[in-house]
Amino acid sequence: MITLALSKGRIFDETLPLLARAGIEVAEDPNTSRKLILATNQPDVRVVLVRATDVPTYVEYGGADLGVAGLDTLIEHTAQWGQGLTGGGLYRPLDLGIARCRVSVAVPEGFDYRAAVRQGSRLRVATKYTAIARDFFAEKGVHVDLIKLYGSMELAPLTGLADAIVDLVSTGNTLKANHLVEVERIMDISSRLVVNPAALKLKRERIRSLIDAMAAAISERECQA
Ligand code: PRP
């Protein structure tokens, strides 16, 4: 049995066409079913639905053989756990080019970010992405107090909890709706296929053919674009 860990939402939706190219159709719709293990048309392949931040953990410890996770999630996971308890880490064979977005710094409209940075003020930055934010501001030599949040980052500057946020931006609509502006782009994000190294050894042929089919789907998509 091959187990693939996915998170609901964009990653799930955008992984489906790549799986289809590998001949795998997920049998159930996670939006209507409460099931966490979804069968596929292939008797030896199943999908498990986990929180996005748990995908690397499932794959690393063998709860799943493969998974799809955003680069943001992978960076934060590695910063927290290093090579993990198993020491095996994660094999990352493919950039799937899906769920594209960016990690950016945003501040309330009217907040003079450049001046604050230039004057060497200590910025209070709220984020879920503490490793990415810490590295980014350290590199720039900007002093920051990081405030760890688990969601709704946009609220932090509006309530006086922080001066700025570091968050994912896709369309920019969430920032706009909350009167925030993007002042620096930290990095571009897309989702990666991650594989458990031990599973790759044990189930080499099946997993390799899956990786190859997904790689072919990506290059076809790029040729069409
Ligand atoms: C992300 C991010 C923003 C939003 C940005 O949240 O935290 O809130 O998307 O998208 P936009 O630029 O298209 O408006 P997500 O929906 O991933 O959920 P989260 O709050 O769990 O991070």
Side-chain angles (χ1 to χ4, degrees), residues 10 51 102 128-129 150-154 167-175:
R10 271 185 81 186
R51 285 283 292 263
R102 54 196 183 271
K128 180 153 87 173
Y129 306 99
Y150 293 88
S152 303
M153 263 79 77
E154 297 83 7
D167 195 10
L168 295 182
V169 181
S170 175
T171 59
N173 290 339
T174 308
L175 291 182

Side-chain angles (χ1 to χ4, degrees), residues 10-11 14 95-103 168-171 185 187-192 218 221-222:
R10 271 185 81 186
I11 287 183
E14 295 183 25
D95 179 352
L96 301 175
I98 59 168
R100 285 184 189 276
C101 56
R102 54 196 183 271
V103 180
L168 295 182
V169 181
S170 175
T171 59
R185 191 181 181 121
M187 64 172 70
D188 289 326
I189 299 293
S190 57
S191 292
R192 317 290 156 120
I218 296 163
R221 187 187 58 202
E222 273 156 18

Side-chain angles (χ1 to χ4, degrees), residues 27-195:
E28 268 148 318
D29 176 358
N31 297 315
T32 50
S33 157
R34 300 288 295 170
K35 283 190 186 167
L36 296 175
I37 300 180
L38 308 179
T40 72
N41 62 337
Q42 305 282 327
D44 64 338
V45 181
R46 63 180 184 174
V47 168
V48 291
L49 293 176
V50 302
R51 285 283 292 263
T53 45
D54 292 336
V55 167
T57 309
Y58 266 84
V59 176
E60 193 167 335
Y61 297 115
D65 302 302
L66 311 99
V68 177
L71 180 61
D72 50 322
T73 305
L74 290 172
I75 293 173
E76 295 295 328
H77 177 84
T78 309
Q80 191 172 3
W81 302 105
Q83 285 306 296
L85 287 175
T86 61
L90 291 166
Y91 174 53
R92 301 187 194 184
L94 277 184
D95 179 352
L96 301 175
I98 59 168
R100 285 184 189 276
C101 56
R102 54 196 183 271
V103 180
S104 292
V105 183
V107 298
E109 290 165 5
F111 179 84
D112 195 342
Y113 173 74
R114 308 267 159 224
V117 166
R118 208 171 37 240
Q119 287 155 11
S121 331
R122 244 192 128 83
L123 274 185
R124 283 172 311 147
V125 178
T127 188
K128 180 153 87 173
Y129 306 99
T130 46
I132 293 172
R134 184 176 299 110
D135 281 1
F136 175 72
F137 288 110
E139 190 89 0
K140 286 169 71 78
V142 175
H143 295 291
V144 289
D145 289 319
L146 291 178
I147 301 165
K148 169 86 180 182
L149 291 178
Y150 293 88
S152 303
M153 263 79 77
E154 297 83 7
L155 200 55
L158 307 179
T159 53
L161 182 68
D163 303 309
I165 61 170
V166 166
D167 195 10
L168 295 182
V169 181
S170 175
T171 59
N173 290 339
T174 308
L175 291 182
K176 213 167 175 187
N178 292 291
H179 306 288
L180 300 171
V181 286
E182 189 176 358
V183 285
E184 288 209 77
R185 191 181 181 121
I186 299 181
M187 64 172 70
D188 289 326
I189 299 293
S190 57
S191 292
R192 317 290 156 120
L193 185 69
V194 289
V195 182

